[in-house]
Amino acid sequence: MPTLRQLFLSHNAQTTNFPLLLEFERAESVYLYDKDGRAFIDLISGIGVSNLGHGNPHVINAIKEQVDKYMHLMVYGEYVQTPQVRFAEKLISLLPDSLESVYFTNSGAEAVEGALKLAKRFTGRKQILAFKNSYHGSTHGALSVMGNEEFKQAYRPLLPGVNFARFNSLDDLALITGDTACVIVETVQGEAGIRVPDYGFMQALRLQCDQTGALLILDEIQAAFGRTGKLFAFEHFGIVPDILLLAKALGGGMPVGAFIASRQVMSVLTDNPILGHITTFGGHPVCCAAGLAALGVLLNEDIIAGVEEKEQLFRKLLVHPRIKEVRGKGLMLAVEFESFDLNKKIIDRCIENGVITDWFLHCSNSMRIAPPLIITHEQIEIACEVISKAIAYCC
């Protein structure tokens, strides 16, 4: 009789030749539990998804209540479905006035695809500016605006008309011209190893888009919902995007994404042709019910208020001669070592000792620290002790 692990390797498509092969039976709060009942502290939140941790009762109850009413009814945008409407209403109430129309998708990558189409359709332009070391997803259009050739070279040709600027470079903003349909940028770069832009750069980026008529797309798929210490990361920089991208923590653990714009911009999807962007399962009512409940918990329990203090605790405890730098904002941090080999050894040792972390696609010598926002000070201290001991062991 084959084991579950053997079946996984035989029948589930693999993306590497060396999957972690960790088997978890359940998850609660900041812990993942294996089949032997051993607890692991989750320091990556499913890559920025589980901001409320695992198994939040309010989210679970919302899912159960919606399942009892209805699940899928019709492709997105045709029927008036209460979870979609209420979720959109709540999101809009928390955003600047110009972000007033929500298009729900299945994922962040699909939100990227929809936003790129929307910008080209609204402006009538064909050129797109993205940034080096950016990550926006793995679908064809999203891959086209990824700023790392290693991950995209095998899939060319990709979208034409895509150019790349250096992140945080004022000089490169001159690449935004009257031919640019949109600029797509992560408000905080994630897979580049958590790179926070300068306030002045973001201000200048907004101004250059305004002056040229290019739409500014801010990708907050990882950075939103308190991850950086504010509900939305663009709040740190005093700007508002033309199109905002959300996913990951948006669904409270369920799959949902969104691109959000003004009604004027979004309206171009309705004619010439009609159905300018369509999706069968985007904005699934169960996912929207979960997302609305999760957002309610995040706000009602004032969870974001404690993020900055927890960031400072990580920074205080993660001090070692072999740590080159701790970068980031809020609970979106990167711990940099001298090489990938050392980083991988430390990560493996952490996992052996009950702390789950990993590295970044475009910055493999840095360790990801992105725990659920509900992590306690005591849990941070325990996790940092494991990391510190792993560094000492591997060095």
Side-chain angles (χ1 to χ4, degrees):
M1 186 74 166
T3 66
L4 192 64
R5 181 174 299 189
Q6 290 169 330
L7 291 170
F8 168 79
L9 291 171
S10 295
H11 303 314
N12 290 76
Q14 301 298 307
T15 56
T16 74
N17 291 318
F18 43 89
L20 285 174
L21 293 176
L22 298 169
E23 295 183 48
F24 295 112
E25 293 280 317
R26 63 186 183 91
E28 182 179 351
S29 183
V30 301
Y31 296 103
L32 308 177
Y33 295 89
D34 68 14
K35 58 185 179 182
D36 298 319
R38 185 183 176 205
F40 294 74
I41 296 177
D42 181 3
L43 283 192
I44 59 175
S45 305
I47 314 300
V49 170
S50 306
N51 281 15
L52 298 183
H54 304 279
N56 183 276
H58 297 283
V59 176
I60 291 173
N61 287 339
I63 292 169
K64 289 178 177 178
E65 288 177 9
Q66 184 56 44
V67 166
D68 285 341
K69 294 174 182 176
Y70 59 83
M71 292 189 284
H72 176 72
L73 298 181
M74 180 58 167
V75 295
Y76 178 74
E78 292 299 314
Y79 291 173
V80 179
Q81 299 184 59
T82 299
Q84 291 176 355
V85 174
R86 293 304 184 199
F87 196 17
E89 176 189 36
K90 184 63 177 178
L91 287 168
I92 294 309
S93 75
L94 299 167
L95 287 165
D97 291 344
S98 59
L99 296 172
E100 57 187 345
S101 182
V102 181
Y103 192 114
F104 286 118
T105 65
N106 298 284
S107 67
E110 189 188 333
V112 170
E113 301 286 346
L116 294 178
K117 287 174 59 180
L118 180 62
K120 291 168 72 175
R121 177 72 176 84
F122 181 78
T123 63
R125 304 174 183 178
K126 298 180 176 63
Q127 292 185 14
I128 297 169
L129 185 70
F131 287 85
K132 295 179 180 179
N133 290 321
S134 60
Y135 180 82
H136 300 287
S138 290
T139 51
H140 221 64
L143 194 64
S144 301
V145 293
M146 179 193 287
N148 187 313
E149 185 62 23
E150 177 184 355
F151 286 94
K152 58 199 283 187
Q153 50 80 28
Y155 304 102
R156 289 192 176 279
L158 298 168
L159 283 181
V162 180
N163 296 310
F164 290 88
R166 292 169 295 173
F167 189 69
N168 218 23
S169 168
L170 290 171
D171 291 341
D172 282 11
L173 296 183
L175 295 169
I176 306 169
T177 72
D179 295 322
T180 306
C182 62
V183 179
I184 181 168
V185 60
E186 297 160 274
T187 315
V188 175
Q189 278 198 328
E191 295 310 308
I194 314 301
R195 310 287 174 170
V196 182
D198 296 333
Y199 183 91
F201 170 77
M202 296 299 277
Q203 288 278 312
L205 172 60
R206 176 68 274 181
L207 180 61
Q208 185 71 3
C209 287
D210 288 340
Q211 292 177 340
T212 60
L215 297 187
L216 177 58
I217 302 173
L218 289 187
D219 179 343
E220 298 213 358
I221 289 166
Q222 281 198 59
F225 301 107
R227 177 59 55 189
T228 66
K230 290 188 179 293
L231 185 60
F232 301 104
F234 66 78
E235 297 177 74
H236 291 288
F237 304 103
I239 64 170
V240 177
D242 297 299
I243 305 175
L244 178 65
L245 307 182
L246 302 173
K248 290 190 180 290
L250 176 65
M254 295 291 283
V256 63
F259 57 101
I260 305 175
S262 68
R263 279 193 292 272
Q264 178 189 11
V265 171
M266 199 72 81
S267 68
V268 299
L269 298 179
T270 63
D271 63 5
N272 193 29
I274 64 168
L275 303 173
H277 193 70
I278 53 178
T279 171
T280 298
F281 291 111
H284 192 284
V286 178
C287 299
C288 286
L292 180 58
L295 185 54
V297 172
L298 186 70
L299 298 173
N300 296 337
E301 298 185 10
D302 202 18
I303 291 169
I304 299 172
V307 168
E308 184 177 352
E309 188 176 353
K310 292 172 183 179
E311 173 195 348
Q312 295 309 315
L313 183 56
F314 270 112
R315 289 183 179 275
K316 176 184 176 181
L317 296 174
L318 291 175
V319 177
H320 190 279
R322 302 304 291 271
I323 294 177
K324 296 179 65 178
E325 183 182 13
V326 178
R327 283 187 307 275
K329 194 78 171 171
L331 292 177
M332 189 176 180
L333 299 171
V335 181
E336 183 173 327
F337 299 100
E338 64 188 30
S339 68
F340 168 71
D341 288 340
L342 177 58
N343 188 33
K344 180 66 164 62
K345 288 177 183 177
I346 293 168
I347 288 170
D348 289 346
R349 183 69 178 177
C350 287
I351 294 173
E352 289 173 11
N353 288 282
V355 170
I356 303 291
T357 182
D358 71 342
W359 63 91
F360 299 91
L361 283 180
H362 308 333
C363 188
S364 62
N365 66 329
S366 293
M367 173 190 292
R368 188 190 309 267
I369 303 290
L373 307 187
I374 63 168
I375 192 170
T376 66
H377 288 216
E378 181 182 4
Q379 290 162 343
I380 291 172
E381 290 170 357
I382 293 169
C384 288
E385 183 179 2
V386 170
I387 294 171
S388 297
K389 288 182 176 178
I391 296 171
Y393 178 85
C394 295
C395 295

